[in-house]
Each structure stands twice: as C-alpha cells, then as structure tokens.
Amino acid sequence: STRSTSDATITDKVFIEFKGIPSADGSSSSGDQRIVIGLFGNDAPQPVSILKQLVTKEGFKSKCKPLDTTRLLQKEQLEANKVYNSCLENEDVIGVTYDLSTVWRIIPNQRIDIGAVSGKFVARENPNFQDGKSGLTHDAAGVVSVRRGDDGGYGFTIFPGGSDVGATILDEDNVVVGRVVEGMDVVERLNGLPVVKSAGVNYMALTGGPNAKNAPSRACRYGGPMYCNENKPLKKVLIEKTGIF
C-alpha cells in the first residue's frame, strides 16, 4: 500500500552544492546553489547507507569491475590492464564520492538526474540499490530516489513535480530515499536549464510509419548500455561539495 512521503521519518540530512547553475536571467552562475536532502533511513536503509557514504570524504568503498580480457588490440588491452591495476591499488583506500560528478539529464517536470561519477570511479562496480518495499511514491515535488538494482550507476534523481507521467515512470523504476528539505528554488532552476534536444523531426511519420516519440528510450540512462546526450544540460553543472549534517 502506498504511503505519503510527508509521513516518512527523516533520519539523516545531507547537503549537495552545485557549480554552474546560471541565475534565472541566464547570466553567470550566482547565488545559492545548495540543496539539503532529508533521507528516509527507516524506509530505505540500504540505499540511504550508500548515499551517506557517497557524500563523505571517505566515500563508498566499491570493488573494481573485473578485468576485461577480450580487447582485440594489444594497445587497448594494455590500457585496460593499466586502468584495472590502478583501480586495485586504490580499491580499499579511496571510496567513490560525488565530487565533480555531473547533472547528466533533465526532463522538465519529470526528472533531474544527478551524480554521474567520472574519471577514476568509472572502473568501479555500480552499487546494487535494494528496495525496502516502503510503499513511498513520487507524490510531491522534491522527492529523491535511486534506480532499483545495479544498472543505474551511482546517481540519484530529484522529481521536480508537475508531471504524472514522470512520477509513474519513477515509481516503476526507482526506490524513494528522501526529499529535498531546503533549496527547492535551486531544484526549480535546474528544472529550467536548457538541454540538448535532437531535431524535432518525426522520421517514422515521414516514412509512413507510426508516430514515433522523439523522447529517448529508457536504455538512455547513465550506467546503461548506451549513454545518450539527449536531455543533457547544454552547460556543464557539477557537484562541487557534499557533506552530512
């Protein structure tokens, strides 16, 4: 049975500070760029425990992905070996954090996807976010969730509100982990950022086929089989600083 996120107990608070969000008039990034997320540790204990580690200096100690030995070119295999060995050296010392990760997809009123980790963390295994079956849904603007399972990368999603379709898709795919308790004005600015849009030509209709949607497929997500530029912010927005209260 579904429950309201307004009834969920906030067990922890974390903050995320962004860099690169332009002000409302489009001028250079200015003003407050911080959001505070209240986490529902009782309802989603495992994902919340991982998120809390991702916002600390120590990070989340995930294992290195197994070495891919199928590279055909010797040069590529040597590079893969190098990346793997470098990962192993740091595996127990350096945890994955959100530092300098990006806001990688914005679909207005439907979703803001944050925390695409980069660089040295790409060689790490994705976390496997487990669903505590809390019954919480994306029932209000500012609800925060993570993609169920291990194919969504490290990121989290903020539901900006205003789209039933967006809420339904997120309810199907994601586990609710908290809600934004401060900085909804920052969420609104993120929701309004200009993003990459493919040409609005309906190729299927031109060829006499059914009306195809221009929206990217669900495979178009960070950590999935294909990473798409569709709906990526035109200007890079990074996470500059994180922490736990």
Side-chain angles (χ1 to χ4, degrees):
S1 65
T2 59
R3 289 166 50 225
S4 167
T5 50
S6 57
D7 296 336
T9 305
I10 290 174
T11 55
D12 309 271
K13 285 183 181 177
V14 298
F15 69 85
I16 309 277
E17 280 180 18
F18 297 99
K19 179 184 181 182
I21 308 175
S23 51
D25 61 5
S27 62
S28 63
S29 54
S30 62
D32 196 19
Q33 305 207 15
R34 170 191 275 219
I35 59 170
V36 176
I37 299 170
L39 295 170
F40 304 149
N42 299 339
D43 294 294
Q46 187 256 12
V48 163
S49 132
I50 293 173
L51 287 172
K52 281 163 63 182
Q53 293 171 68
L54 287 165
V55 299
T56 60
K57 283 190 173 65
E58 297 73 37
F60 174 64
K61 304 280 198 308
S62 67
K63 295 288 176 199
C64 296
K65 290 174 183 166
L67 176 61
D68 175 7
T69 54
T70 61
R71 303 296 169 95
L72 296 176
L73 297 175
Q74 187 184 9
K75 187 180 167 194
E76 285 186 359
Q77 189 60 59
L78 288 171
E79 184 58 32
N81 295 355
K82 194 171 140 193
V83 169
Y84 178 68
N85 291 331
S86 162
C87 185
L88 282 185
E89 277 170 32
N90 296 317
E91 190 176 55
D92 301 322
V93 192
I94 300 172
V96 178
T97 69
Y98 280 139
D99 290 349
L100 302 181
S101 64
T102 55
V103 176
W104 63 273
R105 177 171 59 183
I106 298 169
I107 304 179
N109 304 336
Q110 291 192 30
R111 63 192 302 147
I112 300 168
D113 292 321
I114 299 167
V117 300
S118 57
K120 57 183 182 282
F121 299 140
V122 172
R124 300 292 185 95
E125 291 276 16
N126 287 340
N128 188 346
F129 288 121
Q130 288 160 23
D131 193 342
K133 305 282 185 215
S134 66
L136 296 172
T137 60
H138 297 76
D139 58 1
V143 170
V144 176
S145 60
V146 293
R147 187 176 171 84
R148 195 180 291 105
D150 64 359
D151 66 348
Y154 283 87
F156 61 93
T157 300
I158 299 176
F159 175 55
S163 164
D164 292 344
V165 174
T168 305
I169 291 173
L170 289 172
D171 287 343
E172 277 175 31
D173 294 343
N174 284 26
V175 183
V176 170
V177 294
R179 62 185 167 88
V180 175
V181 291
E182 286 173 39
M184 273 309 287
D185 55 320
V186 177
V187 173
E188 281 162 24
R189 273 158 60 203
L190 283 169
N191 189 48
L193 286 183
V195 295
V196 176
K197 280 281 177 211
S198 56
V201 177
N202 189 338
Y203 294 104
M204 290 293 277
L206 290 178
T207 55
N211 290 332
K213 285 193 296 191
N214 280 321
S217 73
R218 281 206 205 172
C220 233
R221 59 175 182 266
Y222 170 67
M226 58 183 209
Y227 182 94
C228 304
N229 270 336
E230 187 79 357
N231 298 307
K232 194 177 173 182
L234 291 176
K235 282 189 177 163
K236 201 174 224 184
V237 178
L238 299 172
I239 291 182
E240 188 168 43
K241 198 171 163 195
T242 61
I244 193 161
F245 288 111

